[in-house]
Amino acid sequence: MNGLLVAPIIVPFAAAALALLGRRRPLFQHVSALTVAAIHLVAGGWLLYQVHHQGIAVLHVGGWPAPFGIALVADHLSALMVLITGVVYGAVVVYSRAEISADDIRRGYYPLLHILVGGISGAFLTGDLFNLYVWFEVMLMASFALLVLGRTRAQIKGGVTYVVINLFATLLFLTGLGMVYGMTGTLNMAHLHLKLRAVADPGQVAAVSVLFLTAFGIKSGLFPLFFWLPASYHTPPVAVSAIFSGLLTKVGVYALIRTFTLIFPFGSSGLQELVLAAAALTMITGVLGAAAQSDIRRILSFHIISQVGYMVLGLGLFTPLALAGAVFYLLHHIVVKANLFLISGLIRQRGGSFALKRIGGMYARGLLALLFFIPAFSLAGFPPLSGFWAKMILIRSSLDSGQFVLAGVAAAVGLLTVYSMTKIWNEAFWKPMPTTETAIVQNRVSVWMTAPVVALVLLTVCIGFWPEPFVQLARTAAEELLDPMAYVYTVVGEMR
Amino acid sequence: METVLALLTGTMVAGSVFLMLGKNLVRFIFGLMLASNAVNLLIFAAGRPDTSRPPLIPQGSLQPVAAVANSLPQALILTAIVIGFALLAFIFILFLRAYQQLGTVDTEAMTNSESGNQDTAPSERPRP
């Protein structure tokens, strides 16, 4: 059964090879991508089922026992993240059928997309720090290429910012990794959990953990390291920005959660206060940045930042309920945010632009209005949608920890999110269509683009009305994170 | 040995930070190359380069008889070099393209050249 752990990694890479072989056949590429996304989704579901019923799964690749070889490990958090990756992957592949131009397909859109998903799944599943670095690089490489695939000025400009800052973050990560190796002689995360406790100088450990905090903070768009994100996410095709917005920063958040629960558990180091302050400032700056924008995708990009603040808040509070809130928030956010980007593509199809000034009158398209309304107000945290439960758990846990200011910030940022969503609603839907505009307005939106949006909206509604199973899974994941001995024991066994 | 490596790494990092903080993208590339090599040296130093005896196990025994060099850091560095080289190739092409399209390698000029007009254009990408 544990051999299945490689499936979410191997399958997309096989698909990339396949897509390269059929480079000149868009239909073949699309059909194979659909098949592979379905397999990935099923593998993710099966993985979660196995982990939930039989405990943490580990695969020692090549038969080398940990800590000598590379271990792939799936606990609840990893399995949930892989499953949700499969959901977004599937939605984006379906959407790509109608959205991605023939030019982009010829330039290798599908192989890059598969490699990106393979890298993301690898990052979620690996139990080895250096291997995590490799997956980050795989993921980054694919994302760089996807970002500038269209070769427009805006893409190149956003791409330069994105590439520069992400390469720098990767170097910081590599530095931290080298120092951790120097201190402990191991790179296996579970083994590090045991070894780092034995390091004599806690100052050394704290210094290195700041390197990790900065590197992953850049990747996840934490304050004050977020500026690369709104500079680039609005430039690529909608399908690409949807998968970026859903998954890329969340890999950073996942890495933060993994690092600061398993490798450097909060406690003695003063990092917890720093992380909490960064989380609060991330929430505030993100939402204020969004208020100043007038392009749908830019508004949504800034909201990614403010939402990352909520997840990091859950990590910083470091209580079982707060971590469960962070995990639940991840699940809710990935679905909703990717979906909002996909919907921005539908709005562009109808109105001809992403700029709020140029569009209007969308309320007449009843279905589109409904499809936007549900995820937008879920993002803002309206009951009974999924965002309400996510925010409620986090605010509740802040109050429980006596962090009243943070609870207030979280609630206020929710209100400001409503402001941004209302702005899009007013401008794009209520306001009459500007008459001067003679943009190409298509009256028919392809079913390939509507279907994934409808599916993700239904999923949001599902999480909203039946949050219980999702909260339970998040709570189990949080328990595993806060008491990593089961994880450690499964990976390194008796050799401690 | 470790002192020399530490000094060398420090000097390289200082130089690379100086280069990367400039607003010229070409300088940035050189800074990045220098920094990634500095990090490679750091990993090498972290592996305790006390001896240069190759990690070979003589026939008939199950483990090395004398202290041997640690080969893992070298494997890590090799991986980092390969990845770094690929990224470098990509970044060169990207910056070349940026120079061709934006007409400058000065990051400040790049930011000022087109604030907003390109992003809000009705159709950003030529639709086929």
Side-chain angles (χ1 to χ4, degrees), chain A residues 99 101-102 104 130 133-134 137 141 144-145 148 150-157 159-160 163-164 167-168 171 174-175 178-179 181-182 187 234-237 295 297-298 348-349 352-355 358, chain B residues 20 25 28 32 35-36 39-40 42-43 46-48 70 72-73 76-77 79-80 83-84 86-87 90-91 94-95 97-98 101-102 110-111 113-115 118-128:
Chain A
E99 208 256 339
S101 68
D104 285 351
F130 193 80
Y133 161 76
V134 174
E137 295 287 21
M141 204 64 188
F144 292 165
V148 297
R151 305 184 195 164
T152 64
R153 283 166 70 92
Q155 284 181 357
I156 299 277
K157 211 177 108 195
V160 168
V163 167
V164 161
L167 285 182
F168 185 71
L171 273 183
L174 193 58
T175 314
M179 290 187 164
Y181 177 73
L187 287 166
H234 63 286
T235 57
D295 175 289
R297 285 205 287 177
R298 284 194 167 221
R348 205 260 306 261
Q349 286 278 311
S353 176
F354 289 114
R358 294 162 178 272
Chain B
M20 284 199 278
L25 282 181
F28 177 85
L32 193 75
S36 61
V39 175
N40 289 342
L42 183 140
I43 298 176
R48 310 282 193 287
N70 184 355
L72 185 68
L76 299 182
I77 294 169
T79 315
I83 294 176
L87 287 172
F90 178 84
I91 205 171
L94 178 71
F95 285 2
R97 192 50 66 191
Q101 294 226 347
L102 307 169
M110 250 183 212
T111 321
S113 67
E114 35 161 356
S115 43
Q118 193 70 27
D119 314 325
T120 49
S123 135
E124 286 164 37
R125 294 150 15 80
R127 299 230 123 225

Side-chain angles (χ1 to χ4, degrees), chain B residues 21-88:
Chain B
L21 286 179
K23 38 183 193 173
N24 187 324
L25 282 181
V26 180
R27 284 181 148 216
F28 177 85
I29 295 188
F30 289 120
L32 193 75
M33 285 162 77
L34 208 54
S36 61
N37 284 323
V39 175
N40 289 342
L41 270 186
L42 183 140
I43 298 176
F44 182 63
R48 310 282 193 287
D50 310 319
T51 164
S52 57
R53 198 193 309 270
L56 297 174
I57 302 169
Q59 215 155 26
S61 59
L62 286 171
Q63 49 190 0
V65 280
V68 294
N70 184 355
S71 54
L72 185 68
Q74 295 171 33
L76 299 182
I77 294 169
L78 197 60
T79 315
I81 289 177
V82 170
I83 294 176
F85 187 72
L87 287 172
L88 207 63

Side-chain angles (χ1 to χ4, degrees), chain A residues 173-364:
Chain A
F173 179 21
L174 193 58
T175 314
L177 191 153
M179 290 187 164
V180 163
Y181 177 73
M183 283 191 287
T184 61
T186 182
L187 287 166
N188 181 294
M189 296 188 203
H191 201 209
L192 278 173
H193 177 77
L194 304 168
K195 284 281 205 165
L196 275 170
R197 283 188 204 163
V199 172
D201 186 358
Q204 237 178 6
V205 178
V208 172
S209 64
V210 172
L211 277 174
F212 283 89
L213 179 63
T214 317
F216 296 145
I218 293 176
K219 304 255 181 220
S220 52
L222 213 56
F223 178 88
L225 312 163
F226 59 81
F227 48 84
W228 55 271
L229 194 155
S232 55
Y233 271 27
H234 63 286
T235 57
V238 174
V240 174
S241 60
I243 202 160
F244 280 18
S245 66
L247 296 172
L248 282 194
T249 46
K250 261 51 77 181
V251 180
V253 175
Y254 167 85
L256 278 176
I257 293 180
R258 185 63 81 203
T259 314
F260 288 99
T261 54
L262 183 62
I263 304 175
F264 309 100
F266 282 132
S268 50
S269 63
L271 274 185
Q272 201 170 351
E273 287 76 23
L274 186 67
V275 168
L276 283 174
L281 288 168
T282 310
M283 287 192 269
I284 297 169
T285 39
V287 86
L288 290 182
Q293 300 296 325
S294 63
D295 175 289
I296 299 179
R297 285 205 287 177
R298 284 194 167 221
I299 296 178
L300 294 176
S301 299
F302 271 102
H303 275 295
I304 300 175
I305 298 164
S306 94
Q307 308 279 310
V308 162
Y310 282 97
M311 298 164 209
V312 177
L313 169 69
L315 170 66
L317 291 169
F318 214 60
T319 62
L321 187 64
L323 268 172
V327 175
F328 187 84
Y329 211 113
L330 271 168
L331 299 178
H332 137 78
H333 170 86
I334 291 175
V335 172
V336 164
K337 184 54 86 179
N339 199 13
L340 278 171
F341 269 88
L342 294 180
I343 292 166
S344 77
L346 294 185
I347 294 179
R348 205 260 306 261
Q349 286 278 311
R350 289 288 201 195
S353 176
F354 289 114
L356 289 175
K357 263 179 284 175
R358 294 162 178 272
I359 51 177
M362 299 272 176
Y363 68 91

Side-chain angles (χ1 to χ4, degrees), chain A residues 122-133:
Chain A
F124 287 147
L125 285 173
T126 185
D128 184 279
L129 213 49
F130 193 80
N131 197 228
L132 181 64
Y133 161 76

